[in-house]
């Protein structure tokens, strides 16, 4: 077919990801088409004076005419009566004879680009949602009622952070709370990170600002049951579980082929994306339904930093190796994002890295087949080990242990040095430093805990949700030092008595038994003074920490304990 002419098309989307279309008699048509770029832009400007610069995304041939298709985003309503916004889902449901051939052809080409539409107002180096500086934080949401104050507020934690946390990014010596019968050792850094604070504040603000509207969370906001339950109590609803299983309209898990909450969504609904981020597939579903994505995307900017690193590595020709748990929402989102830019594969630990390294060092067809079978579903379609594993770059799930990611990078470097020599080998592993994609908040919590573990201790309590990866890493550090005297709990309710602690065993440490709770003893028959470490994961509210202190103190006669004002006065004296 001979291409006889060229046309320029500008697709204008609003913040709800709805497309502006023109009513042409009984049919819908492309709104802004010109014989050249200036002509199309002029037509756009007459209807939407304010818009982002049109950016070309693809070309397509329609009736022997090559169309260059650009996207723009506008905050305005159309000024022309024949132009209106429709969701992509509404357009997909239109009978064929209700769409012009040009519009129908363009719509069929949109799918690969849907993920870009919500973020047309951002440059590629911009972050979706930057951390708020302290003066812009919304502290009121943590004390809006008695339930919020009990969950989020703690005089002890506030005093500890004032004393010990001299720098947000650097661990210092732990705080010591002398209650008499019990001395508590609290790391300088524990509990909420900035990404979690941002997500929590965004969720509560959205509920308060939108009375009467349905507000959903894509899945759990953070991995803490008490925070999630408080949000549910205030009207928030989850679309799916942290494993991606959809809920039905009744709030229960939807059976196969049964209606889901997803099916009920309209462009009037609000869906918040949690701090872990979301997969491209979930975001595309929201885009098709005409739901605002960018405005309610609470992805942590340190998670997004990982995505940007993966994109950069892909442009440099590296295959991206993601160190993470394939079932975790963050790793799913990172893989989904990375696969757009580079061949990608997920590994869980150093043992799995060695499986890749064995092939890299001495590739054979048998090893290639075994590798693809072992990592089925964990790599991009079409990944060819013989081609794609010669230059690799490692990014990570932000909540893992730094030394484990560093060990994986060191291992890969050693493989390529052995294969290509000291001069050429290191260039086969991307990244200038080992910590490029490690979350500083996760790392500083781990560093602070290591300093606290250097103290003489009788027990350690690590507080966090059962599905909290970063909390599990903190527990692992404590368990390595204290063995059975380290207890993973969700709240003070798990401390039933001095002889009964409901200790949660993570699936990864259960030797095939799955995650479960075991009863462990603390110190049933001893009344001697104790030294107890308490820390919380990045999704642990301060109120839970103070409640654990109060629970342990309750096992001792009041005469053996100092009151909280005396303890706080002791902390204040340390600052003078």
């Amino acid at each position: 077919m001979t291409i006889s002419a060229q046309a320029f098309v500008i697709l204008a989307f609003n913040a709800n990801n709805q497309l502006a279309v023109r009513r042409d008699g009984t049919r819908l048509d492309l709104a802004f088409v010109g014989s050249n770029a200036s002509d199309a832009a002029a037509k756009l400007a007459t209807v939407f004076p304010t818009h982002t610069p049109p950016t070309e995304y693809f070309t397509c041939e329609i009736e022997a005419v090559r169309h260059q298709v650009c996207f723009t985003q506008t905050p305005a309503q159309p000024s022309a009566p024949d132009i209106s916004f429709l969701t992509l889902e509404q357009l997909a449901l239109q009978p064929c004879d209700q769409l012009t051939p040009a519009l129908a052809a363009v719509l069929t080409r949109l799918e690969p680009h849907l993920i870009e539409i919500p973020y047309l107002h951002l440059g590629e180096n911009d972050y979706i949602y930057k951390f708020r500086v302290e003066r812009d934080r919304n502290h009121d949401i943590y004390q809006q009622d008695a339930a919020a104050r009990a969950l989020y507020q703690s005089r002890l934690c506030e005093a500890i952070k004032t004393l010990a946390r001299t720098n947000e990014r650097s661990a210092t010596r732990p705080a010591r709370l002398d209650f008499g019968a019990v001395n508590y050792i609290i790391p300088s850094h524990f509990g909420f990170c900035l990404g979690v604070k941002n997500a929590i504040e965004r969720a509560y603000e959205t509920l308060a600002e939108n009375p009467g509207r349905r507000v959903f969370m894509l899945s759990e906001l953070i991995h803490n049951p008490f925070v999630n339950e408080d949000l549910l109590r205030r009207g928030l609803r989850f679309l799916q579980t942290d494993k991606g299983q959809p809920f039905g309209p009744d709030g229960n898990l939807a059976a196969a082929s049964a209606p889901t909450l997803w099916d009920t969504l309209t462009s009037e609904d609000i869906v918040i994306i949690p701090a872990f981020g979301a997969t491209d597939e979930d975001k595309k579903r929201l885009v098709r339904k005409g739901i605002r994505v960018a405005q309610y995307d609470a992805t942590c900017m340190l998670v997004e930093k990982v995505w940007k690193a993966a994109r950069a590595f892909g442009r440099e020709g590296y295959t991206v190796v993601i160190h993470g748990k394939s079932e975790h929402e963050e790793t799913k989102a990172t893989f989904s994002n990375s696969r757009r830019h580079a061949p990608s594969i997920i590994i869980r630990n150093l043992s799995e890295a060695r499986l890749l390294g064995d092939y890299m060092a001495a590739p054979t067809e048998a090893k290639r087949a075994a590798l693809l079978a072992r990592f089925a579903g964990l790599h991009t379609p079409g990944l060819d080990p013989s081609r794609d594993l010669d230059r690799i770059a490692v990014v990570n799930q932000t909540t893992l242990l730094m030394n484990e990611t560093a060990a994986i990078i060191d291992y890969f470097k050693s493989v390529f040095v052995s294969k290509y020599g000291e001069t050429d080998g290191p260039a086969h592993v991307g990244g200038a430093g080992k910590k490029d994609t490690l979350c500083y908040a996760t790392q500083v919590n781990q560093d602070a805990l290591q300093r606290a573990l250097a103290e003489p201790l009788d027990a350690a309590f690590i507080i966090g949700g059962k599905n909290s990866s970063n909390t599990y890493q903190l527990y692992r550090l404590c368990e390595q030092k204290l063995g059975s005297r380290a207890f993973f709990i969700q709240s003070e309710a798990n401390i039933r008595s001095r002889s009964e602690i409901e200790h949660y065993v993570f699936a990864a440490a259960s030797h095939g038994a799955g995650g479960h709770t075991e009863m462990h003893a603390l110190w049933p028959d001893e009344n001697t003074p104790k030294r107890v470490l308490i820390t919380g994961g990045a999704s642990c509210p301060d109120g839970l920490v103070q409640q654990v202190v109060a629970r342990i103190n309750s096992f001792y006669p009041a005469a053996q304990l100092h009151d909280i004002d005396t303890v706080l006065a002791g902390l204040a004296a340390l600052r003078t």
Side-chain angles (χ1 to χ4, degrees):
M1 178 183 295
T2 301
I3 304 300
S4 60
Q6 181 166 304
F8 289 80
V9 177
I10 299 177
L11 301 183
F13 297 92
N14 63 13
N16 276 63
N17 309 301
Q18 299 167 325
L19 176 63
V21 293
R22 184 184 301 276
R23 172 67 65 178
D24 179 16
T26 61
R27 299 190 301 176
L28 298 173
D29 196 4
L30 295 167
F32 308 109
V33 183
S35 58
N36 54 56
S38 297
D39 185 23
K43 293 178 179 179
L44 171 71
T46 61
V47 179
F48 298 117
T50 304
H51 56 79
T52 62
T55 303
E56 183 177 341
Y57 275 85
F58 61 88
T59 62
C60 62
E61 296 174 7
I62 306 168
E63 298 177 340
V65 177
R66 175 177 288 112
H67 289 64
Q68 281 183 256
V69 181
C70 301
F71 293 178
T72 187
Q73 187 181 83
T74 177
Q77 289 297 315
S79 60
D82 60 336
I83 292 179
S84 59
F85 283 112
L86 292 177
T87 71
L88 297 179
E89 189 173 74
Q90 288 172 326
L91 289 169
L93 294 174
Q94 294 291 325
C96 293
D97 61 357
Q98 297 296 303
L99 305 177
T100 64
L103 176 57
V106 167
L107 290 175
T108 63
R109 297 289 303 276
L110 280 182
E111 181 64 26
H113 310 286
L114 294 183
I115 191 63
E116 309 284 352
I117 293 172
Y119 309 106
L120 291 171
H121 61 295
L122 298 176
E124 68 172 22
N125 295 319
D126 293 331
Y127 285 90
I128 298 168
Y129 187 47
K130 292 183 179 179
F131 292 153
R132 293 172 173 175
V133 296
E134 187 62 27
R135 67 174 178 274
D136 294 333
R137 296 269 318 286
N138 186 353
H139 297 280
D140 291 342
I141 66 103
Y142 301 111
Q143 48 194 355
Q144 54 188 305
D145 54 29
R149 288 191 292 273
L151 182 59
Y152 295 114
Q153 300 292 299
S154 165
R155 293 171 64 199
L156 279 177
C157 292
E158 184 178 351
I160 291 166
K161 292 174 183 178
T162 301
L163 170 68
R165 194 171 296 186
T166 55
N167 187 305
E168 190 67 33
R169 295 173 178 256
S170 300
T172 59
R173 65 182 184 179
R176 297 171 181 82
L177 306 180
D178 182 4
F179 276 88
V182 188
N183 273 256
Y184 296 96
I185 309 300
I186 313 293
S188 62
H189 291 68
F190 61 91
F192 284 172
C193 62
L194 286 176
V196 166
K197 290 175 183 176
N198 272 5
I200 288 175
E201 290 167 19
R202 175 74 72 88
Y204 282 101
E205 288 167 352
T206 301
L207 284 169
E209 292 166 359
N210 295 279
R213 293 181 68 182
R214 297 198 306 173
V215 179
F216 296 91
M217 184 68 64
L218 188 61
S219 60
E220 291 184 351
L221 175 68
I222 60 174
H223 286 160
N224 187 280
F226 302 99
V227 173
N228 291 323
E229 287 166 10
D230 190 67
L231 286 165
L232 290 172
R233 182 174 63 84
R234 298 175 193 275
L236 190 80
R237 301 179 72 182
F238 297 142
L239 286 177
Q240 57 196 27
T241 70
D242 59 342
K243 300 297 184 283
Q245 300 167 292
F247 288 109
D250 61 359
N252 296 316
L253 285 177
S257 302
T260 70
L261 276 176
W262 274 101
D263 300 326
T264 73
L265 291 179
T266 74
S267 58
E268 293 301 310
D269 294 322
I270 295 171
V271 178
I272 303 171
I273 293 174
F276 316 109
T279 65
D280 286 0
E281 291 72 23
D282 282 341
K283 286 185 178 181
K284 287 178 179 180
R285 293 177 74 180
L286 297 175
V287 168
R288 293 188 198 98
K289 288 181 173 293
I291 292 173
R292 290 185 179 228
V293 173
Q295 182 177 348
Y296 299 105
D297 188 342
T299 301
C300 173
M301 64 182 295
L302 296 181
V303 172
E304 199 181 350
K305 179 183 176 183
V306 176
W307 300 352
K308 293 181 186 299
R311 181 186 66 204
F313 288 140
R315 288 175 176 173
E316 294 170 10
Y318 290 102
T319 289
V320 175
V321 177
I322 302 167
H323 174 214
K325 300 175 180 179
S326 60
E327 71 276 12
H328 193 283
E329 302 103 304
E330 181 190 324
T331 297
K332 290 178 183 177
T334 295
F335 177 73
S336 180
N337 192 283
S338 175
R339 64 186 293 174
R340 282 189 274 130
H341 308 290
S344 303
I345 187 168
I346 301 171
I347 61 172
R348 195 176 193 90
N349 49 37
L350 182 59
S351 296
E352 293 192 351
R354 293 186 187 281
L355 296 177
L356 301 188
D358 181 58
Y359 175 85
M360 296 169 181
T364 67
E365 184 56 35
K367 288 181 181 179
R368 177 183 179 279
L371 201 66
L372 290 174
R374 172 63 181 77
F375 290 95
L378 301 177
H379 63 77
T380 46
L383 182 134
D384 183 353
S386 63
R387 178 192 64 222
D388 297 325
L389 293 184
D390 190 55
R391 298 180 78 240
I392 60 99
V394 178
V395 301
N396 64 287
Q397 181 181 321
T398 59
T399 54
L400 301 182
L401 290 176
M402 181 198 73
N403 61 349
E404 294 187 350
T405 298
I408 288 170
I409 295 172
D410 285 341
Y411 169 71
F412 284 135
K413 285 182 177 178
S414 71
V415 169
F416 285 115
V417 166
S418 296
K419 186 173 184 177
Y420 294 110
E422 291 284 350
T423 301
D424 297 331
H428 287 258
V429 180
K434 296 177 181 178
K435 300 181 181 180
D436 283 355
T437 65
L438 291 165
C439 166
Y440 78 83
T442 296
Q443 185 55 45
V444 75
N445 278 6
Q446 294 171 8
D447 292 342
L449 178 58
Q450 292 281 26
R451 294 191 66 159
L453 285 169
E455 301 277 335
L457 297 166
D458 295 295
F461 289 89
I462 305 89
I463 311 167
K466 294 178 180 179
N467 53 350
S468 172
S469 176
N470 78 86
T471 309
Y472 176 54
Q473 307 310 323
L474 298 178
Y475 167 74
R476 288 177 62 196
L477 294 175
C478 292
E479 193 271 339
Q480 290 166 11
K481 173 71 181 295
L482 298 171
S484 62
R485 292 178 293 146
F487 304 96
F488 181 83
I489 60 174
Q490 287 67 67
S491 74
E492 81 288 349
N494 299 119
I495 307 175
R496 297 173 58 173
S497 68
R498 289 196 293 184
S499 59
E500 287 187 315
I501 308 294
E502 294 176 344
H503 165 69
Y504 182 71
V505 180
F506 279 82
S510 66
H511 306 291
H516 63 279
T517 298
E518 296 178 350
M519 285 298 182
H520 290 191
L522 185 54
W523 44 76
D525 301 315
E526 294 186 31
N527 289 310
T528 56
K530 301 296 182 184
R531 293 173 62 87
V532 178
L533 184 152
I534 298 177
T535 191
S539 53
C540 175
D542 283 354
L544 295 183
V545 175
Q546 182 155 331
Q547 289 160 25
V548 168
V549 170
R551 178 61 174 161
I552 295 173
N553 284 350
S554 72
F555 299 144
Y556 294 87
Q560 296 181 18
L561 295 167
H562 302 148
D563 61 48
I564 190 170
D565 291 325
T566 300
V567 174
L568 289 173
L571 282 176
L574 293 175
R575 295 199 298 270
T576 60

